[in-house]
Amino acid sequence: MATGRQWDIVILGATGYTGKLCAEHITKTFPTNIKWAVAGRSEEKLNALLGDLKTFNQDRIQPGIEIVQLDKEDLETLARKTTVLINCVGPYHKYSTPVVAACASNGTHYLDVTGETPWVLEIVTDYHQKAVENKAIIIPEIGLESAPSDLLAYLVVSKIKALYSAYASSVICSVHKIKSAGPSGGTLDTILSIRSKYSLSHLRKSLSPFSLSPTPPKTLPKSPKSFFGKLFGPFQVPHLGLLTTAITGRANAAIVNRSAALMLDTYGSSFQYSEFQRVPSRLVGAGIHFALGLFTVCLMISPLRWLARKFVYAPGSGPERSTHQSEEFELRALGSADKKQGQVFGKFRYKGGIYYMTGVLIAEAAMVLLKDKSLVQKLGGGILTPAVLGDGFIERLRNVGFEIEVQGL
């Protein structure tokens, strides 16, 4: 990657809901010698953002402004100016393929907070090799989806290897607690629009837990669910409790399984990952299980998607900031060593706004790519995953309020 670029970090889509929170975290916590800029289409909105950021840190030099249209020429120019590009422009399947293309072509490291597995599958197919050739590290899904799951699974399998000198045979993750004021307008727009973009065959392919893996198994591993769990939803797992189907389970599994394939020396060749949601009762678990199935069917019906748009936030907006302090997210995991040699329990917890957490995750990942030169050299380039950023990334998160721990059982 070329050196001597004008900016260390640029946030594209900085006036959106998540982009603003990412910029806020940088303003509050990053070293003042970081050269960074905010980018978007509206100079008026970007100037208003700078005014808001000034209230968080009066003494800090304001970031630069880059006016960018989402066309090839502007994006190529922007990519050549920065070392790391944080992309907060969603829905990603609508607007962000040209952003990935510009970064892959110009050796610019790229991060985003999508949860759109069909789109990630598309860019893996089209741009992974280009990113490898130009040493561009491209990491999608480094927000709520799918960084917590990916990082916790990585820590659990690493602990199993350290404690038992064995590979992990499986990791089961559970969304133990998620207290949130609700999704942003961008998230809702993504859910409602992605069906219109992709064929049913592409969507079906992306639902596989190994859809993003460069070396998928010939047959899918056996599910940890019992027969009744598969049919009705709820099933019991020691140390994790009563679990049911999780809305983000498939998307997170696809990223974790890509990590496993990229880091075989850590995960081994027989690793299996699954993710669920903790529930207080079997009745609630069954309700969630069937509701998610019904919701998926409804998304296939165009008039219902049109109707749903009448009741959601506009893109760029989201829950009120006053709700952030009451929000909380906790993920738990149980990993088993190969040949039943032992188990490891893990926890990933953040107290505060869920979208603010996403802004922190992507900003701290950018700092890893800026500061850890040996890791960047080792990774080379390609479309990678949050877990490849490793222990240095996890330590940065602990330093800004995340509780992340693993222990043998």
Side-chain angles (χ1 to χ4, degrees), residues 170-188:
S170 68
V171 171
I172 301 173
C173 268
S174 158
V175 180
H176 185 76
K177 181 184 293 185
I178 182 164
K179 187 178 180 184
S180 170
S184 71
T187 298
L188 294 168

Side-chain angles (χ1 to χ4, degrees), residues 141 143-153 170-178 209 222-225 233 235 237 240 242-257 271-278 288-289 292 329-334 348:
E141 298 200 43
L144 175 62
E145 296 171 320
S146 299
S149 301
D150 201 28
L151 295 174
L152 189 56
S170 68
V171 171
I172 301 173
C173 268
S174 158
V175 180
H176 185 76
K177 181 184 293 185
I178 182 164
K222 183 180 177 181
S223 170
K225 279 189 173 185
F235 70 110
V237 175
L240 298 181
L242 186 64
L243 309 182
T244 194
T245 308
I247 190 169
T248 58
R250 290 180 182 269
N252 291 337
I255 290 293
V256 174
N257 284 320
F271 172 76
Q272 179 181 346
Y273 178 85
S274 50
E275 183 169 318
F276 305 97
Q277 177 179 336
R278 181 177 175 268
I288 291 173
H289 176 73
L292 288 176
F329 174 79
E330 183 175 332
L331 187 71
R332 294 186 176 184
L334 180 69
F348 184 110

Side-chain angles (χ1 to χ4, degrees), residues 10 126 188 235 247 252-253 290 306 312-313 325 353 378 390 407:
V10 169
D126 294 344
L188 294 168
F235 70 110
I247 190 169
N252 291 337
F290 288 114
W306 174 84
V312 302
Y313 293 116
Q325 288 186 345
K378 175 185 174 183
Q407 62 185 39

Side-chain angles (χ1 to χ4, degrees), residues 8-11 18-31 34 36 84-88 111-113 142-143 147 355-371 389 393 396-397 400 402:
D8 295 322
I9 299 171
V10 169
I11 306 174
T18 302
K20 288 177 181 177
L21 298 174
C22 179
E24 178 181 330
H25 179 70
I26 291 176
T27 300
K28 288 178 174 179
T29 67
F30 277 21
I34 293 294
W36 68 297
V84 181
L85 191 146
I86 293 174
N87 181 22
C88 296
L111 303 165
D112 73 37
V113 293
I142 200 160
Y355 280 92
Y356 194 86
M357 178 185 79
T358 289
V360 174
L361 284 163
I362 197 170
E364 294 295 334
M367 282 297 285
V368 175
L369 293 175
L370 278 178
K371 297 299 182 182
L389 298 182
F393 184 30
R396 289 194 68 91
L397 296 178
V400 292
F402 288 76

Side-chain angles (χ1 to χ4, degrees), residues 183-261:
S184 71
T187 298
L188 294 168
D189 188 30
T190 297
I191 292 170
L192 294 173
S193 65
I194 200 164
R195 170 62 187 93
S196 303
K197 165 75 173 180
Y198 295 105
S199 67
L200 282 173
S201 62
H202 184 86
L203 291 172
R204 187 164 51 249
K205 183 179 179 181
S206 70
L207 287 174
S208 165
F210 294 92
S211 61
L212 304 179
S213 175
T215 54
K218 292 181 181 179
T219 58
L220 290 179
K222 183 180 177 181
S223 170
K225 279 189 173 185
S226 65
F227 171 78
F228 289 103
K230 292 176 184 177
L231 192 60
F232 297 108
F235 70 110
Q236 195 81 27
V237 175
H239 305 289
L240 298 181
L242 186 64
L243 309 182
T244 194
T245 308
I247 190 169
T248 58
R250 290 180 182 269
N252 291 337
I255 290 293
V256 174
N257 284 320
R258 183 168 179 82
S259 293

Side-chain angles (χ1 to χ4, degrees), residues 148-163:
S149 301
D150 201 28
L151 295 174
L152 189 56
Y154 163 78
L155 275 180
V156 167
V157 299
S158 298
K159 190 71 170 180
I160 285 173
K161 195 171 183 182
L163 286 178

